[in-house]
Amino acid sequence: MDNKNSILLVDPEFDPNTAEDCDLLMKITPDSLSYAIIDKNSKQLKAVYDEQECADIPQTLSGRLKNDSYLGLPFKEIKAAVYTENSINIPNELFNVQELDQYAKFFTEEQSANLYSRPFSTFGLTSIFTLQQFIEDTLTSSLNNYKLYAQNASVLTLAAQHSNQALVLDFTATSFNAAYTLNAKLIFQHYYQTDHAEEFNYYLLLIISQLNINTSDARVYLSGIINEGDAYYQCVQKYFNDIMFNLPPTGEIDQKILDDMPAHYYSGLLAIDLCE
């Protein structure tokens, strides 16, 4: 533990000298920072770090990259899913790689001049996004050869695991990402900040109403910082009967270091491993 809002789990047999066989996954939201290290040779989850309720994500990220010895290792591959206000999903039939600059006119926040694109073939779309300049500079100066994704990449990957009518909710301590699929098609995806369960209840009702979700038929998949019986879970339970925890979609990876933790806490983080 670094502080009351963070936790570090490490396999006692993890040898940092094997980092070249390992992938690093990072998930950066407006209020949390987490990472996972996976040994691709042994197919084992070697480390998980999670810090919630971060007051200043750029500074938290900068400090973690400077002071965490694990993040300085020479990894085989690095994937980072980063929250940004400037993100848009373009259906592939409308996407033109030659016209990336045209999509920037839909962005409202002043951020980096660099445009990034990542395909998501399961739902037939491409994500276009930019980052805060400080976060982009921090990542670039600290990490080598990393692949960058918008934050919604993890919740879309979780949603892609379910072909029927599904509402996927991935929580941090003070926010959640929602994705709704119907007949294997992505209908809706959005990020919300919530200070308390009453505010979450409002957004959940708004989602149900706007999308005309038949709560009797839909299944809800929960992941992240939520527990059975807590205030947020009780809100979901008021409207839906079919509720499941979304376990990490990395079945071939040995996750024994999570045995004493609710595994669904890290589903969104570990889903980044499956991003294209």
Side-chain angles (χ1 to χ4, degrees):
M1 287 261 190
D2 283 353
N3 57 55
K4 65 182 179 68
N5 295 324
S6 69
I7 188 169
L8 175 63
L9 305 172
V10 182
D11 183 342
E13 297 180 358
F14 176 47
D15 181 359
N17 292 318
T18 66
E20 292 183 351
D21 297 324
C22 299
D23 286 358
L24 172 68
L25 312 176
M26 298 188 72
K27 184 182 179 187
I28 303 165
T29 79
D31 62 345
S32 69
L33 169 65
S34 56
Y35 71 74
I37 299 173
I38 300 176
D39 189 315
K40 289 296 186 172
N41 278 358
S42 65
K43 297 188 182 301
Q44 291 180 315
L45 180 61
K46 290 298 186 181
V48 168
Y49 175 83
D50 183 48
E51 183 172 351
Q52 296 288 320
E53 298 183 79
C54 301
D56 188 332
I57 275 293
Q59 291 301 323
T60 299
L61 174 64
S62 178
R64 180 56 47 188
L65 287 169
K66 288 179 181 177
N67 300 317
D68 191 323
S69 60
Y70 289 121
L71 294 180
L73 297 174
F75 294 103
K76 179 179 181 181
E77 185 175 46
I78 300 173
K79 293 181 177 180
V82 185
Y83 175 79
T84 170
E85 292 284 348
N86 289 346
S87 177
I88 186 171
N89 295 324
I90 307 295
N92 286 343
E93 59 267 26
L94 302 177
F95 176 66
N96 186 341
V97 70
Q98 303 299 324
E99 297 182 358
L100 281 182
D101 289 342
Q102 295 298 313
Y103 302 119
K105 66 184 180 182
F106 298 106
F107 297 155
T108 57
E109 299 295 323
E110 184 176 349
Q111 298 192 340
S112 163
N114 294 318
L115 281 171
Y116 301 92
S117 65
R118 287 292 176 191
F120 202 92
S121 58
T122 303
F123 294 129
L125 58 84
T126 298
S127 291
I128 314 296
F129 58 98
T130 64
L131 297 184
Q132 292 181 33
Q133 188 68 62
F134 182 83
I135 288 181
E136 181 182 74
D137 291 344
T138 299
L139 291 171
T140 301
S141 63
S142 303
L143 302 175
N144 294 319
N145 300 318
Y146 63 93
K147 292 182 179 179
L148 196 60
Y149 301 85
Q151 182 194 335
N152 64 4
S154 58
V155 75
L156 291 181
T157 300
L158 292 174
Q161 313 300 309
H162 313 298
S163 58
N164 297 323
Q165 185 179 185
L167 177 61
V168 177
L169 304 174
D170 186 41
F171 293 83
T172 70
T174 58
S175 66
F176 72 100
N177 243 316
Y180 177 63
T181 62
L182 182 62
N183 299 325
K185 294 182 179 179
L186 179 67
I187 306 299
F188 173 81
Q189 186 275 312
H190 195 66
Y191 166 84
Y192 300 88
Q193 289 185 291
T194 53
D195 292 328
H196 42 70
E198 289 77 11
E199 190 172 11
F200 167 68
N201 189 79
Y202 167 80
Y203 286 129
L204 182 59
L205 279 174
L206 185 65
I207 291 170
I208 293 170
S209 174
Q210 288 188 331
L211 301 179
N212 195 27
I213 297 176
N214 185 333
T215 57
S216 298
D217 295 336
R219 173 175 287 180
V220 180
Y221 293 90
L222 306 176
S223 60
I225 310 303
I226 185 170
N227 295 291
E228 186 171 1
D230 70 15
Y232 284 76
Y233 188 94
Q234 290 177 26
C235 288
V236 178
Q237 204 170 32
K238 285 194 295 186
Y239 311 108
F240 296 91
N241 297 318
D242 194 354
I243 306 170
M244 295 186 65
F245 284 108
N246 219 347
L247 298 180
T250 51
E252 65 177 19
I253 302 296
D254 180 350
Q255 303 171 21
K256 64 182 179 181
I257 68 169
L258 301 181
D259 284 351
D260 295 329
M261 299 293 294
H264 67 272
Y265 277 15
Y266 308 107
S267 297
L269 170 63
L270 296 177
I272 298 170
D273 190 38
L274 303 182
C275 289
E276 304 169 51

